[in-house]
Amino acid sequence: MTSPIIIAVDGYSSTGKSTFAKAIASELGYIYIDTGAMYRAVTLLAVRSSLAGAGQTIDFDGLRKILYGKPAVEISFRTSGPGSVSETWLDGENVERSIRTLEISRLVSYVAAEPFVRDYVDNRLREIGAAKGVVMDGRDIGTAVFPDAELKIFMTARPEVRARRRYEEMRSRGRENVTYEDILSNLSERDYIDTHRAVAPLRRADDAVLLDNSDMSVEDQIVWFRNILKERHLCGF
Ligand code: DC
């Protein structure tokens, strides 16, 4: 049995990072961490504190005070039982559903571009990852949070494929009022902000393996992943 490692799964929005990362975590018996959910929870906190909203400039000074205030804000991941997926909690409340709305998706890239927000989230992620045996999905895990991660995967897919997947996912969750066009334009906007921000922009780490899953099923991706582990003699394969 080889010792546990950190697997960083970075890439563009809606490339199926979480589906893939959850599947490989369960394959290895590792913990799965959705790092975007942390940025979403901070964004929800800002909205609920009336520091952010549609047509409003985000009040970052106010947000900094709340985030680093006393008592400290607590964002965590919890599972409700064996085999169940982990869900995001904000100060004792399960916010898994509230952080997935289009309003939060529209604001989150701006909040995530703020250096003090990134510091806050990075510190939490490093605490969680210290024991290894984790799969983290995000934008900067392999470049900034864990630059020494033993395995880095960078995911991409064609924009139309990504928008279609996100659209179907939202419809299946009962969000009848979203349109494919809204989602496509939200994705392009987020790609732009994520790749152009000054701090830890989204980019492929030099040592990351590229996974373009435009024409791959989840099963295809798992087969691909097993081959990578074998090639690199990782995790007992
Ligand atoms: O993966 P997601 O769509 O839930 O991520 C939400 C936002 O958070 C996304 O616009 C970019 C940001 N993010 C980030 O900047 N760094 C991460 N490690 C994860 C997400």
Side-chain angles (χ1 to χ4, degrees), residues 1-71:
M1 181 77 186
T2 44
S3 41
I5 63 169
I6 295 180
I7 302 180
V9 178
D10 290 305
Y12 292 93
S13 301
S14 299
T15 44
K17 292 191 298 295
S18 68
T19 306
F20 173 73
K22 267 180 213 157
I24 66 174
S26 115
E27 170 113 356
L28 298 172
Y30 277 19
I31 294 169
Y32 160 69
I33 301 292
D34 170 0
T35 69
M38 284 235 164
Y39 289 102
R40 288 173 177 271
V42 174
T43 307
L44 180 68
L45 179 71
V47 169
R48 287 186 171 174
S49 312
S50 307
L51 301 171
Q56 185 186 337
T57 323
I58 302 172
D59 177 355
F60 283 115
D61 282 339
L63 182 59
R64 185 200 301 262
K65 282 188 194 123
I66 295 187
L67 214 50
Y68 287 99
K70 296 236 179 330

Side-chain angles (χ1 to χ4, degrees), residues 9-15 17-18 32 34-40 43 99-100 104-113 118 121-122 125 136-142 145 166 186-187 189-191 193-194 197 199-202:
V9 178
D10 290 305
Y12 292 93
S13 301
S14 299
T15 44
K17 292 191 298 295
S18 68
Y32 160 69
D34 170 0
T35 69
M38 284 235 164
Y39 289 102
R40 288 173 177 271
T43 307
I99 60 172
R100 309 280 166 197
I104 298 297
S105 297
R106 285 200 175 105
L107 289 165
V108 62
S109 287
Y110 298 99
V111 172
R118 301 205 71 80
V121 172
D122 287 0
L125 296 179
M136 285 198 184
D137 87 37
R139 304 293 189 290
D140 64 339
I141 306 305
V145 184
R166 178 57 67 106
N186 173 249
L187 277 185
E189 192 189 350
R190 283 207 283 157
D191 285 355
I193 302 172
D194 292 346
R197 67 172 174 238
V199 185
L202 169 64

Side-chain angles (χ1 to χ4, degrees), residues 5-213:
I5 63 169
I6 295 180
I7 302 180
V9 178
D10 290 305
Y12 292 93
S13 301
S14 299
T15 44
K17 292 191 298 295
S18 68
T19 306
F20 173 73
K22 267 180 213 157
I24 66 174
S26 115
E27 170 113 356
L28 298 172
Y30 277 19
I31 294 169
Y32 160 69
I33 301 292
D34 170 0
T35 69
M38 284 235 164
Y39 289 102
R40 288 173 177 271
V42 174
T43 307
L44 180 68
L45 179 71
V47 169
R48 287 186 171 174
S49 312
S50 307
L51 301 171
Q56 185 186 337
T57 323
I58 302 172
D59 177 355
F60 283 115
D61 282 339
L63 182 59
R64 185 200 301 262
K65 282 188 194 123
I66 295 187
L67 214 50
Y68 287 99
K70 296 236 179 330
V73 169
E74 204 216 330
I75 300 171
S76 57
F77 298 104
R78 300 186 200 169
T79 46
S80 47
S84 62
V85 292
S86 93
E87 300 197 311
T88 314
W89 288 64
L90 170 64
D91 284 337
E93 179 193 344
N94 184 334
V95 292
E96 190 57 36
R97 224 181 126 77
S98 318
I99 60 172
R100 309 280 166 197
T101 62
L102 206 48
E103 183 195 19
I104 298 297
S105 297
R106 285 200 175 105
L107 289 165
V108 62
S109 287
Y110 298 99
V111 172
E114 198 58 28
F116 77 85
V117 174
R118 301 205 71 80
D119 281 348
Y120 175 89
V121 172
D122 287 0
N123 287 335
R124 280 294 286 128
L125 296 179
R126 291 192 184 114
E127 279 166 22
I128 296 170
K132 302 208 174 187
V134 291
V135 180
M136 285 198 184
D137 87 37
R139 304 293 189 290
D140 64 339
I141 306 305
T143 52
V145 184
F146 288 110
D148 296 329
E150 289 83 353
L151 178 60
K152 302 177 187 177
I153 296 168
F154 189 85
M155 291 181 66
T156 187
R158 290 189 297 277
E160 314 77 61
V161 174
R162 293 157 51 203
R164 175 65 52 198
R165 286 178 186 156
R166 178 57 67 106
Y167 174 72
E168 277 160 14
E169 181 195 327
M170 292 193 90
R171 298 284 291 207
S172 73
R173 284 209 224 117
R175 308 276 159 136
E176 300 292 335
N177 52 352
V178 293
T179 66
Y180 169 82
E181 287 70 27
D182 277 349
I183 289 177
L184 187 61
S185 92
N186 173 249
L187 277 185
S188 324
E189 192 189 350
R190 283 207 283 157
D191 285 355
Y192 185 86
I193 302 172
D194 292 346
T195 49
H196 287 79
R197 67 172 174 238
V199 185
L202 169 64
R203 67 172 182 83
R204 177 182 168 187
D206 295 336
D207 51 352
V209 207
L210 184 69
L211 171 58
D212 180 336
N213 66 8

